[in-house]
Amino acid sequence: MAGHYIGSVLWGGVVVGPIFVASNAPALRHNGEVSGMDRCMKKRGFTRRDLTPQEMQALEAADPVTRRAILDHLVAGGALDTLPRG
């Protein structure tokens, strides 16, 4: 019984564990990068906010200069409907 338990731990930790990690490596790396960025931004007083579908549409349809203006406005706490037109 003890040998079976130790074998199960070794099998799960040495064989199955690395296979699982390897198959999910891109997602794990992405989540780690996002978490690190969130911690860094939080130290500087920022909080994460997901963009609305309308904001995503506006950004995707905008040229680079307009996209930067929209992002600057959103980061400053503005909303899409309060974006200055011009």
Side-chain angles (χ1 to χ4, degrees):
M1 182 74 169
H4 185 283
Y5 176 76
I6 292 170
S8 295
V9 170
L10 289 175
W11 173 255
V14 176
V15 177
V16 177
I19 292 171
F20 175 77
V21 170
S23 66
N24 291 315
L28 292 171
R29 185 175 297 114
H30 173 76
N31 289 341
E33 291 170 353
V34 170
S35 295
M37 184 178 65
D38 284 346
R39 280 191 304 274
C40 180
M41 297 298 282
K42 192 172 190 173
K43 287 180 185 176
R44 289 165 175 74
F46 293 95
T47 56
R48 174 179 291 278
R49 173 177 84 75
D50 292 329
L51 296 175
T52 66
Q54 295 80 13
E55 291 167 341
M56 289 295 296
Q57 271 183 329
L59 288 169
E60 290 169 357
D63 61 271
V65 174
T66 306
R67 185 177 302 124
R68 183 175 176 114
I70 293 170
L71 286 171
D72 286 344
H73 179 70
L74 294 174
V75 167
L80 198 57
D81 58 347
T82 61
L83 182 68
R85 306 288 177 195

